[in-house]
């Protein structure tokens, strides 16, 4: 962990530059190592074809991000990474925001490690490289 997941409306796909957004998110999360082990970082996007926004009368769009992390980080650490991610997202989507009706949101989801199952040999690659 962490996992950075965005949902975005299909009406912005051509202008949203989603792969670049995911790369930026990973760079921020990698910069927080060892707080977030590099081998556990995942970013992904889900394009939404079916959605209804507000009164449905305009070509509204939205992006919603969820940052999922395991418990155990301080409130200060959580706030700092969320602030940095959300600032990056606002910068990334500034042009869209200025050109159309657009809503951007993000939430932090912190969970207990109890009940999670993991099988990951990616971590070993970073331990070998002292990262």
């Amino acid at each position: 962990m962490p996992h950075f997941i965005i949902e975005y409306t299909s009406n912005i796909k051509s202008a949203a530059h989603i792969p670049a957004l995911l790369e930026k998110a990973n760079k921020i999360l990698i910069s927080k190592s060892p707080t977030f082990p590099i081998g556990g970082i995942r970013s992904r996007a889900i394009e939404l074809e079916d959605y209804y926004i507000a009164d449905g009368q305009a070509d509204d769009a939205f992006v919603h991000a969820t940052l999922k992390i395991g418990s155990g980080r301080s409130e200060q650490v959580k706030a700092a990474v969320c602030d940095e991610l959300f600032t990056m997202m606002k910068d990334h989507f500034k042009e869209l925001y200025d050109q159309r009706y657009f809503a951007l949101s993000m939430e932090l989801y912190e969970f207990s490690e109890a009940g999670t199952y993991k099988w990951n040999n990616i971590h070993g690659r970073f331990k070998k490289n002292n990262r």
Side-chain angles (χ1 to χ4, degrees):
M1 287 305 208
H3 288 204
F4 180 75
I5 305 157
I6 65 160
E7 300 170 284
Y8 67 97
T9 55
S10 59
N11 60 346
I12 60 169
K13 182 173 185 161
S14 63
H17 309 291
I18 298 299
L21 175 73
L22 298 176
E23 181 179 2
K24 291 174 192 176
N26 267 42
K27 285 181 178 178
I28 289 170
L29 295 169
I30 287 168
S31 77
K32 307 305 178 199
S33 177
T35 300
F36 298 119
I38 296 170
I41 296 170
R42 314 273 187 282
S43 293
R44 57 190 174 272
I46 302 164
E47 180 182 352
L48 303 172
E49 292 285 337
D50 299 315
Y51 55 88
Y52 201 90
I53 303 169
D55 63 0
Q57 299 302 306
D59 187 29
D60 299 327
F62 75 82
V63 171
H64 177 74
T66 303
L67 178 63
K68 292 184 175 185
I69 63 171
S71 62
R73 280 111 181 155
S74 71
E75 292 301 319
Q76 183 179 13
V77 166
K78 292 184 289 189
V81 73
C82 287
D83 289 347
E84 190 171 347
L85 283 168
F86 198 66
T87 296
M88 175 275 294
M89 291 172 61
K90 288 192 307 185
D91 291 345
H92 183 88
F93 290 113
K94 175 84 169 88
E95 190 174 319
L96 271 174
Y97 185 89
D98 291 344
Q99 294 175 354
R100 62 174 306 133
Y101 293 114
F102 178 76
L104 180 64
S105 58
M106 188 178 91
E107 68 180 314
L108 174 66
Y109 178 78
E110 185 178 18
F111 59 91
S112 164
E113 292 293 328
T116 64
Y117 302 85
K118 301 172 186 169
W119 194 38
N120 178 349
N121 65 5
I122 298 171
H123 290 289
R125 178 164 54 100
F126 294 99
K127 287 179 183 173
K128 290 177 190 173
N129 295 326
N130 294 322
R131 289 179 70 188

